Amino acid sequence: MAGAGERNETVRAIKRLGRRLWKRWSGYHRRSLAEEAMSRLKRLGERLSAREPAYQVAEVQIRCAILNTFTVLGMPDTVPCA
């Protein structure tokens, strides 16, 4: 199985580097965030309701603004501990 070899290599890399470092090294977080953003966009509806191109542009911009708001609301507040 081709996928099993890739999975085994990933598991070895995680054991060698640790999960946190592996996620940064592999770009896992970026992919995960991109997939989540697309999922939220699809939940807003897969089709545009406007017919005119100018209104479609406005509708897409509104959807992007909503997604950005979701992202800001979902981001944790980090506080340095010393």
Side-chain angles (χ1 to χ4, degrees), residues 36-46 63-64 67:
E36 180 61 26
M38 290 307 299
S39 173
R40 288 188 302 239
L41 180 62
K42 287 180 181 179
R43 282 187 221 138
L44 292 174
E46 293 189 18
R63 287 178 183 213
C64 289
L67 283 176

Side-chain angles (χ1 to χ4, degrees), residues 28-69:
Y28 178 82
H29 289 300
R30 288 183 185 192
R31 283 194 305 262
S32 177
L33 291 173
E35 289 173 7
E36 180 61 26
M38 290 307 299
S39 173
R40 288 188 302 239
L41 180 62
K42 287 180 181 179
R43 282 187 221 138
L44 292 174
E46 293 189 18
R47 296 182 183 193
L48 297 176
S49 50
R51 291 187 181 195
E52 298 292 323
Y55 296 135
Q56 288 177 348
V57 169
E59 187 175 343
V60 169
Q61 289 174 341
I62 291 168
R63 287 178 183 213
C64 289
I66 291 170
L67 283 176
N68 290 337
T69 303

